[in-house]
Every structure is written in C-alpha cells, then in structure tokens.
Amino acid sequence: MRSVLEAGRRGFDLVVVDLPRHCDQAAVEALGRATTTLLVVTADVRGVLAAAQVLARLREHTGEVQAVVRGGVLDDDVVTASLRVPYAGSLPDQPRLAAALNRGDVPPLSGRTSLGRFCVSFLHSLAGAET
C-alpha cells in the first residue's frame, strides 16, 4: 500500500482510496497518509451506530473525518451531530450506480448524477481549503 500511495502522490494531485470497514495493515497505512477521510453513513439509527463503531477505529489512525450521509429517516444534521463529525455532503441512493458497479462499469460521474454533483462539490471544498 505504501508503494501504491507514493506512486499515486507522485503522479496525481488527488489520490482516492476506498477502504473496508475493518482496518487491516493496508487500510492503516492509507489512513495514516490521508488528509481527509470520508465516512459514508446511512441516515438511520443502525447506520449511525455502525458508523460510530467504525469512527472509533478510524480516529486511531487518521485526522480529519467527515461524514457523507446516505438517504434514510434521520436529518443530515442529526447524523453528523450524533457522530460529532463535519458534514461533507449527502449522497442519495442511485439504483443505476449499484447496477453499474455490479457489472464492473465505471460509475457515471456527470453533473447530472448525484455522485457527480457530490464529487464536484467536495472537490471544490478541498480546493478552497488549500488556498
């Protein structure tokens, strides 16, 4: 993981790593190098409780953690206040996204998709934080 991350940093301005819920050695390496860690949380009681468990382990290895809230019954501000993390944005369910990923397709990232709009918004917030 260390070699892959170093190669990514040499070649690109941004490196994104999708990590599992459980921290193995590779995940710990990535988290230790992360500037920002996004925790995806479903906006219901079970989702918040599960995220709280993951968050406790994340905080052992990384600094800034922000929440990406997925659809559910709780308001976004209730989710982030419960976890005591900043809000990075929301990501509504996208049935076509799950189908595309299951087929092995590249996720649709145009500005017409929820994922695309979230990515644009989050990248702008990162760019603003760097200036």
Side-chain angles (χ1 to χ4, degrees), residues 34-57:
T35 304
T36 302
T37 301
L38 297 178
L39 176 62
V40 179
V41 183
T42 303
D44 57 30
V45 173
R46 288 182 63 197
V48 172
L49 290 174
Q53 291 178 346
V54 172
L55 183 59
R57 290 188 302 272

Side-chain angles (χ1 to χ4, degrees), residues 20-122:
R21 290 182 188 156
H22 302 288
C23 292
D24 58 10
Q25 287 181 324
V28 168
E29 182 70 33
L31 288 167
R33 295 167 177 264
T35 304
T36 302
T37 301
L38 297 178
L39 176 62
V40 179
V41 183
T42 303
D44 57 30
V45 173
R46 288 182 63 197
V48 172
L49 290 174
Q53 291 178 346
V54 172
L55 183 59
R57 290 188 302 272
L58 288 178
R59 287 190 166 138
E60 295 173 10
H61 306 291
T62 193
E64 181 184 349
V65 178
Q66 296 182 24
V68 176
V69 183
R70 300 219 20 181
V73 297
L74 300 175
D75 290 336
D76 294 353
D77 59 338
V78 171
V79 172
T80 56
S82 298
L83 295 171
R84 295 185 177 106
V85 296
Y87 177 71
S90 64
L91 193 55
D93 287 332
Q94 287 185 270
R96 290 184 187 162
L97 175 62
L101 294 174
N102 287 334
R103 287 190 309 269
D105 295 344
V106 174
L109 291 176
S110 76
R112 294 179 298 178
T113 67
S114 299
L115 180 59
R117 286 189 300 273
F118 169 79
C119 290
V120 167
S121 173
F122 184 71

